[in-house]
Amino acid sequence: KSLLQLEQEKGIVVRFMIGHSAISNSILDRAIDSEDALHKDFLRLNHVEGYHELSAKTKSFFSTAVKTWDANFYVKVDDDVHVNLGALAATLARHRNKPRVYIGCMKSGPVLYQKNVKYHEPEYWKFGEEGNKYFRHATGQIYAISKDLAKYISINEPILHKYANEDVTLGAWFIGLEVMHIDDRNMCCGTPPDCEWKAQAGNICVATFDWSCSGICNSVERIKIVHVKCGEDVTTLRNSLF
């Protein structure tokens, strides 16, 4: 009911995006189908799930979402990140009239050429000498792109190259285009006390997570605590214009 209300009153659509198992009609797929029938809060993608398939999943998500909903912005958020929807809507609204917008916490990490390490980049040689850094791109926990960029992904889906890391891959698609990169540090606040102090100062965070875990550490146990300490007031979302 509240999801439907959010869509009808604010034009904000929230879905868990997920593909399917490599095994047809698996127990997990049937369980998700049952939950979706009950809550109607999934976006099912034509995509086989797997940790090394996140770049393909990102491509599939934006292509599917832009064909399903006509929106000003499309936002990807990891499921272990706390988001204040009112603050997010207000942030996006500020950039609504700009063409080709890419918003997130921009970073430039090292290209990991060593094998058998997490985030290893098999195509490291494309980025220059060993020890080089990637071009600037939004960190993968949360980012937003405007409609024209989502359409670009959808139209060019078959020829967009995928690198090992999903956030690098998205950044690569935009690096050669006329795209406005917006670095918004309110989209990568730390968990309490960081976001709590900011909230007390009247600066509500858009998104909160721990860099050490690439999300909220022990998110199942802690995300409610983070929400209590750093979540926006219900009236903030109710009063937000989008």
Side-chain angles (χ1 to χ4, degrees):
K1 182 183 174 182
S2 45
L3 271 182
L4 190 61
Q5 192 176 8
L6 198 59
E7 290 176 32
Q8 293 174 342
E9 294 180 7
K10 297 296 177 186
I12 300 173
V13 178
V14 180
R15 293 289 187 276
F16 292 106
M17 61 162 172
I18 195 163
H20 54 84
S21 305
I23 303 165
S24 179
N25 199 32
S26 71
I27 294 170
L28 283 173
D29 285 334
R30 292 203 301 272
I32 290 166
D33 287 340
S34 298
E35 186 174 335
D36 191 30
L38 189 64
H39 299 291
K40 303 194 184 320
D41 57 358
F42 280 93
L43 170 62
R44 302 303 298 271
L45 304 175
N46 183 21
H47 167 79
V48 177
E49 288 288 347
Y51 182 76
H52 296 293
E53 298 300 325
L54 290 177
S55 293
K57 185 176 183 179
T58 300
K59 191 193 289 190
S60 177
F61 162 61
F62 284 119
S63 296
T64 306
V66 79
K67 290 170 187 169
T68 309
W69 295 284
D70 181 21
N72 293 110
F73 288 95
Y74 299 84
V75 185
K76 175 259 176 180
V77 188
D78 285 352
D79 60 5
D80 54 355
V81 170
H82 179 270
V83 179
N84 283 315
L85 284 176
L88 175 60
T91 296
L92 298 181
R94 287 199 299 273
H95 305 293
R96 190 173 180 175
N97 297 320
K98 299 171 185 172
R100 298 177 302 281
V101 178
Y102 173 34
I103 311 170
C105 286
M106 299 294 164
K107 67 170 186 175
S108 178
V111 180
L112 299 178
Y113 58 88
Q114 306 95 329
K115 287 186 177 179
N116 303 320
V117 298
K118 194 176 182 182
Y119 309 127
H120 166 64
E121 176 57 75
E123 297 183 78
Y124 62 87
W125 61 274
K126 288 185 178 179
F127 298 93
E129 303 305 314
E130 290 183 1
N132 275 5
K133 288 188 172 184
Y134 288 114
F135 41 78
R136 198 72 63 181
H137 60 278
T139 185
Q141 286 89 343
I142 176 173
Y143 46 72
I145 63 173
S146 52
K147 184 196 321 190
D148 37 16
L149 292 181
K151 282 184 174 179
Y152 173 83
I153 293 171
S154 179
I155 292 165
N156 295 286
E157 186 177 2
I159 59 168
L160 289 176
H161 186 68
K162 302 186 298 291
Y163 289 102
N165 300 302
E166 159 244 338
D167 52 358
V168 169
T169 297
L170 188 75
W173 296 340
F174 301 151
I175 200 72
L177 306 179
E178 287 292 346
V179 172
M180 182 179 291
H181 288 56
I182 295 172
D183 183 22
D184 190 327
R185 308 317 287 184
N186 253 356
M187 292 177 78
C188 51
C189 294
T191 51
D194 179 36
C195 57
E196 189 176 10
W197 289 338
K198 288 174 180 171
Q200 289 170 359
N203 187 22
I204 298 289
C205 289
V206 171
T208 295
F209 57 88
D210 300 302
W211 285 106
S212 58
C213 298
S214 294
I216 294 174
C217 300
N218 303 315
S219 58
V220 174
E221 293 81 20
R222 292 182 61 229
I223 200 161
K224 287 184 180 178
I225 297 165
V226 172
H227 182 67
V228 168
K229 292 184 177 293
C230 302
E232 63 194 357
D233 191 274
V234 159
T235 55
T236 307
L237 177 57
R238 195 177 295 136
N239 296 335
S240 67
L241 300 173
F242 194 55

